[in-house]
mmCIF file of all heavy atoms in Angstrom:
data_model
loop_
_atom_site.group_PDB
_atom_site.id
_atom_site.type_symbol
_atom_site.label_atom_id
_atom_site.label_comp_id
_atom_site.label_asym_id
_atom_site.label_seq_id
_atom_site.Cartn_x
_atom_site.Cartn_y
_atom_site.Cartn_z
ATOM 1 N N GLN A 33 35.508 16.897 44.213
ATOM 2 C CA GLN A 33 35.910 17.881 45.214
ATOM 3 C C GLN A 33 35.823 19.298 44.660
ATOM 4 O O GLN A 33 35.831 19.517 43.458
ATOM 5 C CB GLN A 33 37.329 17.600 45.683
ATOM 6 C CG GLN A 33 37.453 16.235 46.308
ATOM 7 C CD GLN A 33 38.752 16.080 47.059
ATOM 8 O OE1 GLN A 33 39.504 17.006 47.224
ATOM 9 N NE2 GLN A 33 38.998 14.884 47.544
ATOM 10 N N GLY A 34 35.735 20.269 45.576
ATOM 11 C CA GLY A 34 35.708 21.675 45.188
ATOM 12 C C GLY A 34 34.350 22.104 44.681
ATOM 13 O O GLY A 34 33.361 21.368 44.742
ATOM 14 N N GLU A 35 34.320 23.299 44.149
ATOM 15 C CA GLU A 35 33.090 23.882 43.622
ATOM 16 C C GLU A 35 32.793 23.318 42.231
ATOM 17 O O GLU A 35 33.694 23.173 41.406
ATOM 18 C CB GLU A 35 33.267 25.400 43.538
ATOM 19 C CG GLU A 35 32.046 26.139 43.080
ATOM 20 C CD GLU A 35 32.273 27.645 43.063
ATOM 21 O OE1 GLU A 35 33.353 28.098 43.461
ATOM 22 O OE2 GLU A 35 31.356 28.347 42.631
ATOM 23 N N ALA A 36 31.536 23.001 41.967
ATOM 24 C CA ALA A 36 31.142 22.512 40.643
ATOM 25 C C ALA A 36 31.258 23.644 39.630
ATOM 26 O O ALA A 36 30.827 24.769 39.894
ATOM 27 C CB ALA A 36 29.719 21.970 40.680
ATOM 28 N N LYS A 37 31.871 23.355 38.474
ATOM 29 C CA LYS A 37 32.063 24.363 37.432
ATOM 30 C C LYS A 37 31.746 23.767 36.064
ATOM 31 O O LYS A 37 31.810 22.558 35.870
ATOM 32 C CB LYS A 37 33.508 24.865 37.429
ATOM 33 C CG LYS A 37 33.901 25.640 38.657
ATOM 34 C CD LYS A 37 35.326 26.132 38.534
ATOM 35 C CE LYS A 37 35.745 26.882 39.780
ATOM 36 N NZ LYS A 37 37.127 27.341 39.687
ATOM 37 N N PHE A 38 31.452 24.633 35.124
ATOM 38 C CA PHE A 38 31.309 24.256 33.725
ATOM 39 C C PHE A 38 32.728 24.196 33.169
ATOM 40 O O PHE A 38 33.543 25.083 33.434
ATOM 41 C CB PHE A 38 30.477 25.296 32.970
ATOM 42 C CG PHE A 38 29.089 25.416 33.529
ATOM 43 C CD1 PHE A 38 28.802 26.337 34.530
ATOM 44 C CD2 PHE A 38 28.072 24.605 33.072
ATOM 45 C CE1 PHE A 38 27.524 26.447 35.054
ATOM 46 C CE2 PHE A 38 26.789 24.695 33.598
ATOM 47 C CZ PHE A 38 26.518 25.620 34.589
ATOM 48 N N SER A 39 33.035 23.152 32.395
ATOM 49 C CA SER A 39 34.407 23.016 31.923
ATOM 50 C C SER A 39 34.480 22.176 30.662
ATOM 51 O O SER A 39 33.510 21.528 30.272
ATOM 52 C CB SER A 39 35.281 22.387 33.010
ATOM 53 O OG SER A 39 34.837 21.083 33.292
ATOM 54 N N ALA A 40 35.651 22.212 30.057
ATOM 55 C CA ALA A 40 35.940 21.402 28.872
ATOM 56 C C ALA A 40 37.439 21.237 28.774
ATOM 57 O O ALA A 40 38.209 21.982 29.389
ATOM 58 C CB ALA A 40 35.408 22.068 27.612
ATOM 59 N N SER A 41 37.844 20.261 27.991
ATOM 60 C CA SER A 41 39.249 20.040 27.688
ATOM 61 C C SER A 41 39.399 20.165 26.180
ATOM 62 O O SER A 41 38.608 19.604 25.423
ATOM 63 C CB SER A 41 39.663 18.647 28.165
ATOM 64 O OG SER A 41 41.035 18.445 27.966
ATOM 65 N N PHE A 42 40.403 20.924 25.755
ATOM 66 C CA PHE A 42 40.690 21.121 24.336
ATOM 67 C C PHE A 42 41.982 20.379 24.003
ATOM 68 O O PHE A 42 43.004 20.592 24.650
ATOM 69 C CB PHE A 42 40.849 22.603 24.013
ATOM 70 C CG PHE A 42 39.629 23.417 24.335
ATOM 71 C CD1 PHE A 42 39.585 24.190 25.482
ATOM 72 C CD2 PHE A 42 38.529 23.398 23.502
ATOM 73 C CE1 PHE A 42 38.464 24.950 25.793
ATOM 74 C CE2 PHE A 42 37.392 24.156 23.807
ATOM 75 C CZ PHE A 42 37.360 24.926 24.949
ATOM 76 N N ILE A 43 41.933 19.498 22.998
ATOM 77 C CA ILE A 43 43.085 18.700 22.589
ATOM 78 C C ILE A 43 43.688 19.321 21.337
ATOM 79 O O ILE A 43 42.983 19.570 20.360
ATOM 80 C CB ILE A 43 42.675 17.239 22.325
ATOM 81 C CG1 ILE A 43 42.017 16.631 23.573
ATOM 82 C CG2 ILE A 43 43.875 16.421 21.882
ATOM 83 C CD1 ILE A 43 41.398 15.263 23.339
ATOM 84 N N LEU A 44 45.006 19.552 21.376
ATOM 85 C CA LEU A 44 45.718 20.186 20.264
ATOM 86 C C LEU A 44 46.926 19.351 19.870
ATOM 87 O O LEU A 44 47.682 18.918 20.747
ATOM 88 C CB LEU A 44 46.249 21.563 20.673
ATOM 89 C CG LEU A 44 45.298 22.614 21.160
ATOM 90 C CD1 LEU A 44 45.059 22.526 22.647
ATOM 91 C CD2 LEU A 44 45.853 23.971 20.828
ATOM 92 N N PRO A 45 47.153 19.141 18.570
ATOM 93 C CA PRO A 45 48.407 18.501 18.169
ATOM 94 C C PRO A 45 49.562 19.457 18.494
ATOM 95 O O PRO A 45 49.367 20.674 18.532
ATOM 96 C CB PRO A 45 48.259 18.299 16.663
ATOM 97 C CG PRO A 45 47.066 19.063 16.232
ATOM 98 C CD PRO A 45 46.278 19.427 17.441
ATOM 99 N N PRO A 46 50.764 18.953 18.731
ATOM 100 C CA PRO A 46 51.883 19.809 19.131
ATOM 101 C C PRO A 46 52.202 20.936 18.152
ATOM 102 O O PRO A 46 52.716 21.970 18.557
ATOM 103 C CB PRO A 46 53.065 18.842 19.235
ATOM 104 C CG PRO A 46 52.463 17.497 19.426
ATOM 105 C CD PRO A 46 51.133 17.536 18.715
ATOM 106 N N ASN A 47 51.891 20.764 16.867
ATOM 107 C CA ASN A 47 52.195 21.793 15.866
ATOM 108 C C ASN A 47 51.024 22.746 15.616
ATOM 109 O O ASN A 47 51.084 23.574 14.710
ATOM 110 C CB ASN A 47 52.637 21.135 14.558
ATOM 111 C CG ASN A 47 51.542 20.272 13.935
ATOM 112 O OD1 ASN A 47 50.527 19.963 14.562
ATOM 113 N ND2 ASN A 47 51.762 19.862 12.699
ATOM 114 N N HIS A 48 49.968 22.662 16.399
ATOM 115 C CA HIS A 48 48.805 23.531 16.231
ATOM 116 C C HIS A 48 49.197 24.977 16.563
ATOM 117 O O HIS A 48 49.912 25.216 17.537
ATOM 118 C CB HIS A 48 47.677 23.063 17.163
ATOM 119 C CG HIS A 48 46.375 23.743 16.909
ATOM 120 N ND1 HIS A 48 46.111 25.018 17.356
ATOM 121 C CD2 HIS A 48 45.269 23.332 16.261
ATOM 122 C CE1 HIS A 48 44.890 25.361 16.996
ATOM 123 N NE2 HIS A 48 44.363 24.340 16.320
ATOM 124 N N PRO A 49 48.753 25.972 15.770
ATOM 125 C CA PRO A 49 49.092 27.370 16.050
ATOM 126 C C PRO A 49 48.653 27.836 17.438
ATOM 127 O O PRO A 49 49.259 28.733 18.018
ATOM 128 C CB PRO A 49 48.349 28.159 14.970
ATOM 129 C CG PRO A 49 47.970 27.180 13.921
ATOM 130 C CD PRO A 49 47.942 25.834 14.563
ATOM 131 N N GLY A 50 47.623 27.205 17.997
ATOM 132 C CA GLY A 50 47.158 27.575 19.328
ATOM 133 C C GLY A 50 48.181 27.296 20.420
ATOM 134 O O GLY A 50 48.188 27.956 21.458
ATOM 135 N N VAL A 51 49.072 26.316 20.193
ATOM 136 C CA VAL A 51 50.102 25.992 21.189
ATOM 137 C C VAL A 51 51.020 27.194 21.381
ATOM 138 O O VAL A 51 51.304 27.595 22.519
ATOM 139 C CB VAL A 51 50.894 24.727 20.788
ATOM 140 C CG1 VAL A 51 52.081 24.505 21.713
ATOM 141 C CG2 VAL A 51 49.978 23.503 20.780
ATOM 142 N N ALA A 52 51.486 27.789 20.283
ATOM 143 C CA ALA A 52 52.359 28.966 20.384
ATOM 144 C C ALA A 52 51.617 30.128 21.039
ATOM 145 O O ALA A 52 52.196 30.861 21.853
ATOM 146 C CB ALA A 52 52.863 29.377 18.996
ATOM 147 N N ALA A 53 50.335 30.279 20.727
ATOM 148 C CA ALA A 53 49.548 31.367 21.322
ATOM 149 C C ALA A 53 49.375 31.155 22.829
ATOM 150 O O ALA A 53 49.467 32.109 23.610
ATOM 151 C CB ALA A 53 48.185 31.459 20.633
ATOM 152 N N ILE A 54 49.134 29.918 23.244
ATOM 153 C CA ILE A 54 48.994 29.620 24.678
ATOM 154 C C ILE A 54 50.310 29.867 25.403
ATOM 155 O O ILE A 54 50.340 30.482 26.479
ATOM 156 C CB ILE A 54 48.517 28.169 24.900
ATOM 157 C CG1 ILE A 54 47.077 28.004 24.403
ATOM 158 C CG2 ILE A 54 48.610 27.784 26.373
ATOM 159 C CD1 ILE A 54 46.625 26.553 24.302
ATOM 160 N N LYS A 55 51.419 29.409 24.819
ATOM 161 C CA LYS A 55 52.729 29.616 25.450
ATOM 162 C C LYS A 55 53.039 31.102 25.590
ATOM 163 O O LYS A 55 53.540 31.543 26.628
ATOM 164 C CB LYS A 55 53.818 28.897 24.662
ATOM 165 C CG LYS A 55 53.788 27.388 24.838
ATOM 166 C CD LYS A 55 54.898 26.713 24.054
ATOM 167 C CE LYS A 55 54.903 25.215 24.282
ATOM 168 N NZ LYS A 55 55.992 24.546 23.546
ATOM 169 N N ALA A 56 52.745 31.884 24.551
ATOM 170 C CA ALA A 56 52.994 33.328 24.613
ATOM 171 C C ALA A 56 52.122 33.983 25.684
ATOM 172 O O ALA A 56 52.584 34.851 26.431
ATOM 173 C CB ALA A 56 52.736 33.967 23.242
ATOM 174 N N ALA A 57 50.859 33.545 25.781
ATOM 175 C CA ALA A 57 49.957 34.103 26.793
ATOM 176 C C ALA A 57 50.401 33.711 28.203
ATOM 177 O O ALA A 57 50.349 34.538 29.125
ATOM 178 C CB ALA A 57 48.525 33.640 26.537
ATOM 179 N N MET A 58 50.849 32.469 28.384
ATOM 180 C CA MET A 58 51.328 32.048 29.704
ATOM 181 C C MET A 58 52.556 32.861 30.104
ATOM 182 O O MET A 58 52.698 33.275 31.259
ATOM 183 C CB MET A 58 51.645 30.545 29.722
ATOM 184 C CG MET A 58 50.409 29.665 29.683
ATOM 185 S SD MET A 58 50.713 27.891 30.020
ATOM 186 C CE MET A 58 52.020 27.471 28.893
ATOM 187 N N LYS A 59 53.446 33.113 29.152
ATOM 188 C CA LYS A 59 54.632 33.930 29.419
ATOM 189 C C LYS A 59 54.211 35.340 29.829
ATOM 190 O O LYS A 59 54.728 35.886 30.809
ATOM 191 C CB LYS A 59 55.536 33.981 28.187
ATOM 192 C CG LYS A 59 56.759 34.851 28.372
ATOM 193 C CD LYS A 59 57.615 34.902 27.129
ATOM 194 C CE LYS A 59 58.820 35.805 27.373
ATOM 195 N NZ LYS A 59 59.637 35.944 26.179
ATOM 196 N N ALA A 60 53.265 35.910 29.104
ATOM 197 C CA ALA A 60 52.814 37.275 29.401
ATOM 198 C C ALA A 60 52.187 37.380 30.789
ATOM 199 O O ALA A 60 52.481 38.319 31.540
ATOM 200 C CB ALA A 60 51.821 37.747 28.335
ATOM 201 N N VAL A 61 51.342 36.418 31.169
ATOM 202 C CA VAL A 61 50.701 36.508 32.490
ATOM 203 C C VAL A 61 51.721 36.231 33.590
ATOM 204 O O VAL A 61 51.635 36.828 34.674
ATOM 205 C CB VAL A 61 49.443 35.611 32.630
ATOM 206 C CG1 VAL A 61 48.382 36.012 31.624
ATOM 207 C CG2 VAL A 61 49.759 34.143 32.533
ATOM 208 N N ALA A 62 52.699 35.362 33.333
ATOM 209 C CA ALA A 62 53.754 35.103 34.323
ATOM 210 C C ALA A 62 54.590 36.354 34.544
ATOM 211 O O ALA A 62 54.879 36.726 35.686
ATOM 212 C CB ALA A 62 54.641 33.939 33.873
ATOM 213 N N GLU A 63 54.967 37.024 33.471
ATOM 214 C CA GLU A 63 55.774 38.242 33.593
ATOM 215 C C GLU A 63 54.993 39.355 34.283
ATOM 216 O O GLU A 63 55.545 40.100 35.093
ATOM 217 C CB GLU A 63 56.271 38.687 32.223
ATOM 218 C CG GLU A 63 57.340 37.755 31.680
ATOM 219 C CD GLU A 63 57.766 38.063 30.266
ATOM 220 O OE1 GLU A 63 57.031 38.757 29.527
ATOM 221 O OE2 GLU A 63 58.859 37.583 29.872
ATOM 222 N N ALA A 64 53.701 39.451 33.985
ATOM 223 C CA ALA A 64 52.869 40.482 34.626
ATOM 224 C C ALA A 64 52.707 40.213 36.119
ATOM 225 O O ALA A 64 52.685 41.140 36.928
ATOM 226 C CB ALA A 64 51.501 40.558 33.949
ATOM 227 N N LYS A 65 52.608 38.945 36.504
ATOM 228 C CA LYS A 65 52.379 38.588 37.906
ATOM 229 C C LYS A 65 53.663 38.557 38.728
ATOM 230 O O LYS A 65 53.697 39.041 39.849
ATOM 231 C CB LYS A 65 51.687 37.215 37.972
ATOM 232 C CG LYS A 65 51.273 36.783 39.351
ATOM 233 C CD LYS A 65 50.107 37.598 39.840
ATOM 234 C CE LYS A 65 49.482 37.000 41.068
ATOM 235 N NZ LYS A 65 48.304 37.759 41.470
ATOM 236 N N TRP A 66 54.741 37.967 38.166
ATOM 237 C CA TRP A 66 55.938 37.728 38.959
ATOM 238 C C TRP A 66 57.147 38.546 38.532
ATOM 239 O O TRP A 66 58.222 38.408 39.121
ATOM 240 C CB TRP A 66 56.262 36.239 38.973
ATOM 241 C CG TRP A 66 55.175 35.441 39.637
ATOM 242 C CD1 TRP A 66 54.793 35.515 40.945
ATOM 243 C CD2 TRP A 66 54.319 34.470 39.038
ATOM 244 N NE1 TRP A 66 53.757 34.657 41.191
ATOM 245 C CE2 TRP A 66 53.441 33.991 40.039
ATOM 246 C CE3 TRP A 66 54.195 33.947 37.757
ATOM 247 C CZ2 TRP A 66 52.471 33.033 39.795
ATOM 248 C CZ3 TRP A 66 53.225 32.988 37.516
ATOM 249 C CH2 TRP A 66 52.380 32.544 38.526
ATOM 250 N N GLY A 67 57.016 39.394 37.525
ATOM 251 C CA GLY A 67 58.097 40.302 37.124
ATOM 252 C C GLY A 67 59.433 39.612 36.927
ATOM 253 O O GLY A 67 59.557 38.666 36.154
ATOM 254 N N ALA A 68 60.457 40.074 37.651
ATOM 255 C CA ALA A 68 61.818 39.554 37.510
ATOM 256 C C ALA A 68 61.917 38.078 37.883
ATOM 257 O O ALA A 68 62.833 37.381 37.451
ATOM 258 C CB ALA A 68 62.782 40.380 38.367
ATOM 259 N N LYS A 69 60.987 37.571 38.656
ATOM 260 C CA LYS A 69 60.985 36.160 39.080
ATOM 261 C C LYS A 69 60.144 35.279 38.143
ATOM 262 O O LYS A 69 59.923 34.105 38.429
ATOM 263 C CB LYS A 69 60.427 36.040 40.503
ATOM 264 C CG LYS A 69 61.259 36.746 41.547
ATOM 265 C CD LYS A 69 62.117 35.751 42.227
ATOM 266 C CE LYS A 69 62.830 36.409 43.398
ATOM 267 N NZ LYS A 69 63.913 35.596 43.852
ATOM 268 N N ALA A 70 59.663 35.848 37.034
ATOM 269 C CA ALA A 70 58.760 35.115 36.140
ATOM 270 C C ALA A 70 59.374 33.834 35.585
ATOM 271 O O ALA A 70 58.756 32.775 35.637
ATOM 272 C CB ALA A 70 58.290 36.007 34.997
#
Side-chain angles (χ1 to χ4, degrees):
Q33 300 194 7
E35 183 178 357
K37 293 182 181 179
F38 299 91
S39 63
S41 184
F42 301 102
I43 303 171
L44 302 88
N47 63 348
H48 189 282
V51 172
I54 292 168
K55 287 181 177 181
M58 288 191 308
K59 178 181 179 183
V61 299
E63 289 174 341
K65 186 71 167 184
W66 297 296
K69 297 261 187 195

